[in-house]
Amino acid sequence: MKFTIHTLAPLAALGLLLATVAPARAQVTEACPRLPGDSGLTWTERSSDAFVICRAVAEGGREVFGLYLAADSPFQPRRANREERGVINGQDIRWYSGEVATDPDKLVRETLLELDKDRVVHIWLHADSAQEMQQSMRLVEELRFEDTRFSSN
């Protein structure tokens, strides 16, 4: 096939379109809630028929927060670990302190949110400072779960 300006122009336009669409799709998945537009984060997603794990990662690959969507969660909040209050998806929540055994200086917060009778979301935050923790909490409080989907058998 002989390439001319007339055959290359549509290919160049298609390449430009794909280059602009692909980065936008990196943030939007079927199961993870939409991230705040100015967060600078993208989702990585792992799923099965029973659950979805979404990790919000910053440039460079650092996980800022994560969530586990399923019919039930292994996370069981303990009253003795109660910390800050917040609001996620229009619901009042309580953050609970946690720990990372391999990094005892890491600040950890977790919460459990009931989305409906068949879905819960366990959310966790890991931070190196109180300021970083507050920023992560603000981002999580902007999440909306109305459009999140996962299948269960």
Side-chain angles (χ1 to χ4, degrees):
M1 174 177 200
K2 183 179 177 183
F3 291 102
T4 67
I5 191 73
H6 296 291
T7 59
L8 291 177
L11 291 174
L14 178 61
L16 182 60
L17 176 65
L18 291 175
T20 57
V21 171
R25 288 181 37 135
Q27 177 177 325
V28 180
T29 66
E30 283 187 29
C32 300
R34 183 178 308 270
L35 287 164
D38 60 349
S39 70
L41 303 174
T42 57
W43 286 121
T44 63
E45 179 184 323
R46 193 178 79 182
S47 62
S48 76
D49 287 343
F51 68 85
V52 175
I53 297 174
C54 303
R55 288 185 165 90
V57 295
E59 211 171 294
R62 181 182 65 84
E63 180 180 308
V64 177
F65 62 87
L67 54 93
Y68 174 87
L69 283 154
D72 196 17
S73 172
F75 171 66
Q76 299 298 316
R78 293 184 52 206
R79 188 177 189 93
N81 294 347
R82 282 183 169 184
E83 296 289 345
E84 303 87 356
R85 293 179 182 269
V87 176
I88 300 175
N89 206 51
Q91 293 182 42
D92 292 330
I93 58 100
R94 177 73 80 153
W95 289 106
Y96 295 84
S97 62
E99 61 184 29
V100 176
T102 58
D103 190 355
D105 294 330
K106 183 75 69 178
L107 298 174
V108 178
R109 293 293 184 270
E110 299 177 87
T111 194
L112 194 61
L113 179 69
E114 188 172 321
L115 298 178
D116 55 39
K117 66 182 175 113
D118 296 328
R119 288 189 313 161
V120 297
V121 60
H122 168 214
I123 303 171
W124 62 89
L125 311 171
H126 295 182
D128 292 323
S129 69
Q131 180 182 0
E132 191 178 290
M133 181 62 71
Q134 289 301 316
Q135 289 172 333
S136 295
M137 284 179 174
R138 280 193 298 276
L139 288 171
V140 169
E141 289 184 357
E142 291 183 44
L143 297 177
R144 298 294 172 259
F145 292 90
E146 292 87 16
D147 296 328
T148 58
R149 303 278 186 260
F150 73 96
S151 63
S152 62
N153 291 345

